[in-house]
């Protein structure tokens, strides 16, 4: 069908490979984290990798109880600031290509300021692997479609693996043992059968919204980026809480709003926001568990056994939607207009 | 004309009041920061206050060299996490009303975990002032328009005052001495004369983009929120670096893109991105210094003497644009449809 579609389909196997190959490197990293009594995590990333960092921001705080900051690369690359990260900071640089100059610069500054540095990348021997002391390789295989899919979900898997080892959470470890199967369920024929007509119904949508909360904000921001990149429809992601603090005023009649509400603690707030959106006349489209009561006609989400891992599988139906909507519009899903696979910013 | 317009016009005096009234409280706070050797700042805020936090995120890293994290309230309110902030963390909660349950919960958790807590608020005796050990009051006067203006710029002023004392930066201190005058220049008749026809030319725009980088990202995100709240046009803010990592693919012919490029280190990248946008057929609209070479027909920005303070005054022409566009569309600038002055989320 297309490279993008093939790469979406490769994700369950890629996630398994990433987890298997990194058991040793993550154990070594966690040993070093304990030696240094790490008490701050700094994440440095752009684009899809930054969306993966959003997952890590929530997961590491919730599971490991460590404060997490997202680096602002220009602090170093434009303003040449010396930030005192210190030896008890862990800096994680995420880049599929490992070639982003800004991320490499942030990592070099972090290392010089004493931080423990880790690269998460899908490219052997990249500059990022040289600048970081530890490397976690995604093992996603070469990614040829411009829109990243398997490098995203494998990065989430590595973050979950790190959190599982660091926190010794049985819930995460058990969930990870079944995550490949959950990822396969996330792209089952009955999911695709719901996504295809949904894509057709969005053919003339001029704008899309994605909404989620907490751990699942990563799914909303990554779904928005995938849809914006491939379908060329402006797509904006919101935390369901932030949406109420102003932006809801710009939601018009029939604006399609994709709400991600996997089973767990965010469901009640999402239901409330869904009602507010419907009251404005918006078109509310649910990605949710079919068994969760208030939803009808949902795109069904696979249950990975714990809410903590839901983002690893919930993005898959959104990737399928991006693929089908792009194809239905006669656009090339593999090569979005005006983008290249590796974007280098400083 | 309208409450919103009056409150925009009150900002120069409000900024002066905020700076004068907080010299003492900020000096006390900085003494405590030094006693504790603070080495991490955590910012907790929603909506407009979160945009003010974005300014602080850059400013405190650049000027004070301290890592800065943005709190994710749901980590505490939904997932009930214990985050080990520690006694050398400074947590700043920002809320105009001081009534946001989520921000107050984050602050209570931070204080319980040892952090030094500071409230920035415009409301005496609010819950936030009880939960925090230190209070910096905006002294903006009652804000009646739903869209926040003077509570935003006074919050930026307090952040700059804190950074100036903490870092002992002569550049910031000198700049703050002249900031009231710069704010007056930012709303001079010749600025309004440029903004009015610009608003008319945007009457039928279905979507707006705002773009900036580094310290000025705060201006882009706050301009986007103001425009989305009041004009009801979906408005999306991007860092000029992030825009290149995918979202630029969704920029269509004639999409109005408001680029904020005050004199300083971000100009070259903004010029490059402006060219990329123009190549896609977008309508590129500059908010910049008239003297900076590559720009023609700009909305002129006032020069506060240092790039570090530009966000305090650069938002003003964007507020005026929101006001004029809202009025031109026959909407009520003071009461955007579907919003209330105080939004409470958990």
């Amino acid at each position: 069908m297309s490279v993008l579609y093939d790469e979406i389909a490769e994700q369950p196997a890629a996630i398994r490979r990433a987890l298997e190959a990194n058991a040793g490197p993550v154990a070594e990293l966690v040993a070093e984290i304990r030696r240094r009594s790490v008490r701050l995590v700094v994440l440095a990333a752009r684009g899809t990798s930054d969306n993966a960092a959003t997952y890590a921001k929530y997961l590491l705080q919730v599971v490991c109880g460590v404060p997490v900051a997202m680096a602002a690369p220009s602090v170093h690359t434009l303003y040449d600031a010396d930030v005192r990260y210190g030896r008890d900071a862990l800096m994680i640089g995420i880049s599929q290509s490992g070639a982003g100059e800004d991320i490499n610069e942030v990592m070099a500054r972090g290392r010089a300021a004493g931080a423990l540095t880790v690269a998460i990348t899908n490219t052997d021997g990249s500059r990022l692997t040289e600048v970081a002391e530890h490397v976690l390789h995604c093992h996603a295989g070469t990614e040829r479609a411009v829109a990243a899919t398997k490098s995203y979900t494998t990065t989430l898997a590595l973050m979950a693996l790190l959190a599982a080892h660091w926190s010794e959470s049985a819930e995460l470890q058990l969930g990870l043992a079944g995550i490949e199967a959950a990822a396969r369920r996330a792209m089952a024929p009955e999911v695709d059968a719901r996504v295809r007509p949904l894509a057709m119904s969005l053919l003339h949508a001029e704008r899309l919204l994605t909404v989620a909360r907490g751990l699942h904000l990563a799914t909303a921001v990554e779904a928005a980026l995938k849809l914006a990149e491939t379908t060329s429809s402006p797509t904006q992601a919101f935390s369901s809480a932030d949406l109420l603090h102003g932006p809801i005023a710009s939601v018009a009649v029939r604006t399609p709003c994709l709400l991600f509400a996997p089973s767990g603690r965010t469901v009640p707030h999402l239901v409330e926001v869904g009602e507010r959106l419907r009251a404005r006349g918006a078109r509310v489209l649910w990605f949710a568990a079919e068994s969760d009561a208030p939803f009808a006609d949902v795109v069904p989400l696979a249950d990975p056994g714990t809410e903590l891992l839901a983002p690893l599988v919930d993005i898959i139906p959104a990737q399928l939607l991006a693929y089908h909507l792009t194809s239905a519009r006669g656009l090339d899903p593999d090569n979005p207009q005006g983008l290249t696979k590796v974007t280098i910013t400083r």
Side-chain angles (χ1 to χ4, degrees), chain A residues 281-301:
Chain A
R283 184 171 173 225
V284 175
L285 302 162
W286 290 103
F287 288 64
E290 285 192 292
S291 53
D292 277 345
F295 311 122
D297 198 26
V298 304
V299 174
L301 296 177

Side-chain angles (χ1 to χ4, degrees), chain A residues 265-339:
Chain A
R265 304 195 185 191
T266 67
V267 169
H269 195 252
L270 265 286
V271 169
E272 184 191 326
V273 169
E275 282 162 11
R276 293 274 300 267
L277 288 168
R278 215 174 339 239
R280 293 188 68 88
R283 184 171 173 225
V284 175
L285 302 162
W286 290 103
F287 288 64
E290 285 192 292
S291 53
D292 277 345
F295 311 122
D297 198 26
V298 304
V299 174
L301 296 177
D303 181 0
T306 163
E307 183 189 346
L308 298 172
L309 294 176
L312 277 70
V313 296
D314 292 348
I315 190 63
I316 293 174
Q319 294 167 340
L320 291 171
L321 177 63
Y323 168 75
H324 287 304
L325 181 52
T326 304
S327 304
R329 286 180 172 174
L331 301 168
D332 179 354
D334 301 334
N335 294 294
Q337 198 206 343
L339 295 183

Side-chain angles (χ1 to χ4, degrees), chain A residues 64-114:
Chain A
C64 303
V66 62
V68 179
M70 310 281 264
S74 67
V75 163
H76 297 296
T77 60
L78 292 186
Y79 299 103
D80 197 28
D82 281 318
V83 179
R84 298 179 299 278
Y85 296 107
R87 277 188 53 82
D88 52 7
L90 168 67
M91 183 178 277
I92 307 178
I94 314 168
S95 169
Q96 170 276 127
S97 70
E101 288 180 26
D102 39 12
I103 302 310
N104 291 337
E105 173 77 15
V106 173
M107 290 285 280
R109 293 297 192 98
R111 189 167 172 176

Side-chain angles (χ1 to χ4, degrees), chain A residues 182-197:
Chain A
R184 289 197 194 283
R185 291 196 300 278
M187 59 182 68
E190 53 271 30
V191 177
D192 210 55
R194 294 281 179 88
V195 171
R196 281 169 182 271

Side-chain angles (χ1 to χ4, degrees), chain A residues 2-20:
Chain A
S2 81
V3 173
L4 179 63
Y5 191 89
D6 291 344
E7 291 179 352
I8 292 170
E10 286 171 30
Q11 290 176 106
I15 290 171
R16 176 180 35 78
R17 279 198 308 271
L19 291 172
E20 285 172 1

Side-chain angles (χ1 to χ4, degrees), chain A residues 228-265:
Chain A
E229 280 182 319
T230 59
T231 72
S232 81
S233 274
T235 308
Q236 200 165 358
F238 289 102
S239 128
S240 58
D242 289 330
L243 183 63
L244 301 183
H245 285 265
I248 196 169
S250 72
V251 176
V253 171
R254 277 192 305 280
T255 299
C257 302
L258 313 182
L259 272 65
F260 294 87
S263 295
R265 304 195 185 191

